[in-house]
Amino acid sequence: MNSIDNLERDDRDREQACNECKRRKSRCDKTLPECGPCRRNRRHCLYERHSKTPLTRKYLTQVEEQLRRALVQVARAEQRAQLAEARVRQLESDPNIQGHSEHDIATSDPSATAIEPNPTTDESPIELPLEGPPSGPADFSWDEHSQDSGSAEADAASGTTAVHTHTSPGDEDRVADGMASLTVDEGDAGYLGVASGAAMLRLLLPDAQPSQHVPRRPQIQETLSGTHWLETPLWEALGLGTVDLDAAIHAYFGLYHNSYPLVEEHTFRAQYAQVIPRPSGRSWHALAFIIAAIGHFTAGIGPSDIDRKLFMAAKSNLSIDSLEVGNITLVQTLTLMSNYLQKRNKPNSGYNYLGLALHMALGLGLHKEFHDWDISPLNMEVRRRVWWSIFVFNVGAAVTFGRPLAWPNKNVEVHLPLNVADRSLTNMSREAPSEADHVTTFSSVIMQSRFHLLTNEIYTRVISVPFPSASELVNLDNTLIDKWELSVPAWYHRDAPIPPHYATGHAIMWWRLRNFRVIMYRPYVIRRVLLARSQDDAETVPAAIQEAYRRCLHEAEESITAISDFWATTPSSRMSAWYALYFLFQASLIPCVCLRNEPTSPSSLSWRTQISRTLHTMQLISPVNPSAQECYNVLQRLCGPFLQVRPAAQEPNMVTTPDVLSGYPTEESPQTQINNVYSMMWPNANDTEVDALMQGGLWNDVFPGVNDNTEQQNANVLGDFSVPQFSWDPAI
């Protein structure tokens, strides 16, 4: 019986084989339009019977996809027809709108972009299908690799075995739509918005089918050695065989992920375990290594160099040709690489990576959502989480360098992520669950995004010249920041009980708020303490300036207290140590500059207490983050002599110097003090930026609205000094 079955199968194979393979009685893979043996041997491949197609999984998948697209087009056509019929009935029954043309009727579509009506007429809005969701995959991924670029990428990844496949027929003749005017279907073109020429083409050809070129085959088929769980040409050179990748990835999702949920945990773990296919080729391997690098760095409790090796392994899976491909995996990879480099003291490199991630995200349409989009709730949430995580990083990078916000402040039409428990939304979910009333993995990015959406206006003013007046800052604080605080749910309040694995992200959010207020008001603190020698009457200082001074000192003190309490009660990690040290050091500079210039002030005891507590906390942090010892040494050099309590009486022959007695202000000139403070608050600035920011005459622009006498005193005390117009904030 088996022999008969085999003979029948051989007969069917011969019937489906091409003529040349039949003649040679060789095995034919029945690939259309040209089989593999004929292609390799450059023979003329001809099939006599094209009615029969190979029943392979690949071919069936192609047919299923074509059928799905056809059904989508039919459904859209039926919807348009129904709307057109309804519109005709409306026009026939309403004499007031008889002037509408047939074109208006044919192009009305509720899922399209609405065109605002002319306010001088009674016309109803006309909705035109100028943009919409992709009809193919549930994203706007693209691949613009040419055959040459595929070879280049393989060469760049030296040491990796790669097989270059034959370019699909017609691939070299594909129209390169650099004008964004010829694409009807966005399946392989990225997001094309309403201003593109393609939008008009879709309007004129609403029933047009996608271009029928043969689907592009992968340019590189990766052949893994089979000995490594993750692929990198540097595996042996970096000695990665001794690294516990599982533990590093687990650490990433246990800590860092709870603040920045860029990657869907359960999907990634299934891909990592090869339970489901790993997408996006080498980009996925890069993502896996950078996840391991960040996990090892942030969850460690002491200095280590293993994360640097993991980062190098991630980078080895990318090349300049990787930018010819656009997918969400690559966006996630570039974003995480950016933040890792920031934490590893390469902020400008990280800034460049982040720019690439943002542009690719825009090309993938992550800033858009569409009505009636055929996309699962989980995939929609992943897009939202990635977009708003990039938003948080971008705003943080802007504050880091004092640069204008590079984030689009208009035309962003994507909701914030849902505050849901991980297991309530899975790949099998067909509807989005209700939001939880407790802390989840996504609470941190939601709260940070809301905060920056409201405070970006303040930041824009702070980096502008002239510097905002104290009354303007106080008003912005009362209006925008208070609005955010009122919107925070009770379970995320400053003193709310938080589960341990979410405690770090929750604490960082409130440290960030206090630090932002310190950045807002600290120029007025510097102004106040440097004018102390002029014996200016405090009663002549406007109330708004006094309030700005008071708020800055209050937020700095609260920061020192909160961070010190957190470190004393929470298990330490390099992530919490990194953020705690930055915010603590920035806050400590406020009482430091005050004490140095006003050591006999009634507040001097409080300033000494704050600085002493800061020094103690830095000592506790230093075993985890060695930079804490450097910060400790700086504060000791600046304030050590001023922390001594001046004796009530001195011996007649006791020799003293003003520098070692707390009752005397520092003898350093205001210019020298500002230079010292500048280098600590803004260490990323170069000499050119210092010169530009310290030009004469800008001090009055920094503090507008002060009376002439006070301005003259400022000039006498400060000379050519101007407050730096940007601030250092690596805490992103």
Side-chain angles (χ1 to χ4, degrees):
M1 187 67 178
N2 290 336
S3 300
I4 296 176
D5 291 341
N6 292 335
L7 290 174
E8 291 178 351
R9 188 181 304 109
D10 291 341
D11 290 340
R12 288 196 299 271
D13 290 342
R14 282 192 292 273
E15 288 179 0
Q16 295 178 359
C18 71
N19 290 348
E20 191 65 22
C21 289
K22 286 180 182 178
R23 185 177 68 83
R24 295 175 178 272
K25 296 183 179 179
S26 60
R27 183 175 296 276
C28 180
D29 60 15
K30 302 176 283 298
T31 302
L32 294 174
E34 183 182 26
C35 72
C38 289
R39 184 176 66 250
R40 288 193 298 270
N41 297 299
R42 298 184 178 181
R43 303 189 187 108
H44 179 63
C45 186
L46 179 65
Y47 290 90
E48 286 186 353
R49 301 182 64 181
H50 290 282
S51 59
K52 291 186 177 181
T53 56
L55 295 178
T56 62
R57 179 67 261 175
K58 178 180 178 181
Y59 181 76
L60 289 177
T61 300
Q62 294 176 358
V63 172
E64 289 171 353
E65 177 61 20
Q66 292 172 358
L67 176 60
R68 193 191 69 81
R69 292 191 179 195
L71 292 175
V72 170
Q73 293 291 339
V74 170
R76 290 180 178 175
E78 290 179 352
Q79 183 184 34
R80 283 193 292 270
Q82 293 172 0
L83 291 170
E85 292 175 359
R87 187 64 170 158
V88 169
R89 290 193 295 270
Q90 180 184 5
L91 292 175
E92 290 176 346
S93 60
D94 191 345
N96 294 325
I97 53 175
Q98 290 294 331
H100 284 276
S101 65
E102 293 181 0
H103 178 73
D104 295 335
I105 301 171
T107 58
S108 61
D109 184 349
S111 64
T113 301
I115 297 179
E116 294 295 333
N118 188 330
T120 61
T121 70
D122 293 331
E123 294 182 1
S124 301
I126 300 175
E127 297 183 351
L128 303 175
L130 293 174
E131 68 174 357
S135 57
D139 55 30
F140 292 89
S141 301
W142 75 86
D143 184 349
E144 297 176 348
H145 267 133
S146 64
Q147 186 175 15
D148 292 338
S149 68
S151 301
E153 182 173 330
D155 295 339
S158 58
T160 301
T161 305
V163 179
H164 301 280
T165 61
H166 179 76
T167 305
S168 301
D171 182 65
E172 296 179 356
D173 299 328
R174 293 179 63 194
V175 177
D177 189 15
M179 300 178 293
S181 299
L182 302 174
T183 304
V184 176
D185 178 70
E186 302 94 330
D188 194 32
Y191 168 76
L192 300 176
V194 297
S196 65
M200 191 66 181
L201 187 63
R202 289 195 293 266
L203 172 64
L204 297 175
L205 301 173
D207 295 318
Q209 295 294 324
S211 55
Q212 297 298 320
H213 61 267
V214 178
R216 180 187 295 272
R217 295 183 183 181
Q219 296 300 322
I220 298 178
Q221 292 179 346
E222 297 182 54
T223 304
L224 302 182
S225 62
T227 60
H228 308 318
W229 195 245
L230 297 177
E231 179 65 12
T232 172
L234 303 178
W235 184 278
E236 302 297 338
L238 296 175
L240 297 181
T242 61
V243 177
D244 190 343
L245 293 174
D246 292 358
I249 290 174
H250 183 71
Y252 169 90
F253 286 108
L255 180 60
Y256 183 91
H257 177 68
N258 293 330
S259 294
Y260 306 109
L262 272 156
V263 180
E264 209 287 310
E265 178 179 1
H266 305 295
T267 302
F268 177 84
R269 287 187 182 276
Q271 293 164 348
Y272 178 69
Q274 294 184 321
V275 174
I276 61 177
R278 297 172 172 179
S280 308
R282 302 185 65 81
S283 297
W284 188 91
H285 292 280
L287 175 63
F289 274 118
I290 190 58
I291 284 176
I294 292 178
H296 195 280
F297 174 80
T298 57
I301 57 174
S304 174
D305 198 51
I306 293 178
D307 57 279
R308 295 182 188 272
K309 296 180 179 180
L310 293 170
F311 176 78
M312 292 173 64
K315 195 164 62 171
S316 73
N317 280 282
L318 301 179
S319 71
I320 191 65
D321 290 307
S322 300
L323 300 181
E324 295 183 5
V325 176
N327 53 64
I328 201 167
T329 302
L330 193 51
V331 172
Q332 294 165 325
T333 302
L334 294 171
T335 305
L336 291 175
M337 284 183 163
S338 168
N339 195 238
Y340 172 81
L341 288 170
Q342 172 71 28
K343 288 179 169 57
R344 271 304 196 178
N345 300 318
K346 293 185 177 181
N348 287 294
S349 301
Y351 188 78
N352 290 339
Y353 275 82
L354 194 58
L356 294 173
L358 172 59
H359 289 162
M360 188 172 291
L362 292 169
L364 292 170
L366 295 186
H367 63 297
K368 297 285 290 186
E369 291 184 13
F370 302 96
H371 181 64
D372 292 334
W373 192 350
D374 183 18
I375 181 173
S376 71
L378 179 61
N379 284 336
M380 178 63 77
E381 279 302 299
V382 169
R383 291 173 64 89
R384 292 171 177 172
R385 295 166 189 171
V386 172
W387 175 259
W388 290 109
S389 294
I390 299 176
F391 169 70
V392 170
F393 289 139
N394 262 270
V395 175
V399 177
T400 299
F401 300 102
R403 297 168 182 171
L405 293 171
W407 192 261
N409 61 353
K410 294 183 178 179
N411 307 117
V412 173
E413 301 166 7
V414 54
H415 293 87
L416 289 170
L418 296 176
N419 186 58
V420 295
D422 268 334
R423 297 187 181 277
S424 66
L425 182 61
T426 69
N427 195 48
M428 299 300 293
S429 302
R430 292 296 171 257
E431 293 183 356
S434 300
E435 293 197 76
D437 58 354
H438 55 79
V439 181
T440 72
T441 302
F442 315 105
S443 301
S444 179
V445 73
I446 294 171
M447 297 303 170
Q448 289 190 59
S449 297
R450 289 177 176 170
F451 175 76
H452 289 307
L453 286 171
L454 287 171
T455 58
N456 279 349
E457 178 184 344
I458 302 176
Y459 172 73
T460 301
R461 289 291 296 117
V462 168
I463 65 170
S464 302
V465 175
F467 193 83
S469 66
S471 58
E472 180 183 356
L473 287 176
V474 170
N475 182 61
L476 289 171
D477 189 347
N478 294 342
T479 303
L480 299 177
I481 298 183
D482 282 359
K483 181 179 180 180
W484 177 81
E485 288 194 87
L486 291 173
S487 72
V488 175
W491 45 262
Y492 210 78
H493 280 177
R494 185 181 279 112
D495 299 323
I498 302 294
H501 49 291
Y502 297 127
T504 298
H506 172 264
I508 290 172
M509 178 66 255
W510 291 102
W511 298 346
R512 187 184 305 277
L513 168 63
R514 293 189 175 101
N515 178 256
F516 192 84
R517 281 180 167 144
V518 168
I519 291 173
M520 289 170 59
Y521 296 121
R522 67 188 175 190
Y524 288 96
V525 173
I526 297 174
R527 171 191 182 277
R528 162 74 177 269
V529 298
L530 294 184
L531 286 176
R533 295 177 182 178
S534 68
Q535 302 301 319
D536 184 31
D537 186 0
E539 294 181 357
T540 66
V541 178
I545 293 180
Q546 296 185 49
E547 178 64 13
Y549 172 82
R550 186 196 65 80
R551 290 192 182 192
C552 188
L553 265 61
H554 172 75
E555 295 299 334
E557 182 177 9
E558 288 294 310
S559 293
I560 293 170
T561 300
I563 295 170
S564 298
D565 288 345
F566 178 88
W567 194 259
T569 59
T570 306
S572 60
S573 69
R574 293 171 75 186
M575 180 174 178
S576 57
W578 195 87
Y579 284 100
L581 179 62
Y582 168 72
F583 289 122
L584 181 64
F585 184 63
Q586 294 294 304
S588 69
L589 292 178
I590 300 303
C592 176
V593 72
C594 292
L595 181 61
R596 283 169 57 84
N597 288 275
E598 295 185 274
T600 59
S601 167
S603 301
S604 61
L605 179 59
S606 174
W607 297 335
R608 290 188 181 93
T609 302
Q610 294 173 43
I611 296 170
S612 297
R613 189 168 192 187
T614 297
L615 292 172
H616 176 69
T617 303
M618 286 180 175
Q619 286 182 314
L620 297 178
I621 294 176
S622 59
V624 182
N625 186 350
S627 297
Q629 186 61 45
E630 299 177 16
C631 295
Y632 177 92
N633 295 338
V634 170
L635 283 183
Q636 275 285 12
R637 178 173 60 83
L638 290 174
C639 297
F642 298 91
L643 296 179
Q644 303 176 25
V645 178
R646 187 179 186 183
Q650 299 181 9
E651 296 296 332
N653 298 327
M654 183 177 182
V655 178
T656 63
T657 59
D659 286 340
V660 298
L661 292 179
S662 59
Y664 290 83
T666 178
E667 291 188 344
E668 292 180 357
S669 68
Q671 184 70 47
T672 301
Q673 290 191 69
I674 291 303
N675 288 339
N676 291 334
V677 174
Y678 186 96
S679 63
M680 290 183 290
M681 287 185 173
W682 299 276
N684 291 324
N686 55 40
D687 293 339
T688 302
E689 291 169 328
V690 173
D691 292 340
L693 294 169
M694 300 184 70
Q695 297 172 358
L698 285 182
W699 178 258
N700 294 339
D701 291 335
V702 171
F703 299 109
V706 183
N707 61 59
D708 294 339
N709 293 334
T710 305
E711 290 179 359
Q712 183 60 46
Q713 292 168 349
N714 291 348
N716 294 336
V717 173
L718 300 174
D720 288 338
F721 165 70
S722 68
V723 171
Q725 294 300 300
F726 71 98
S727 47
W728 176 56
D729 179 11
I732 59 176

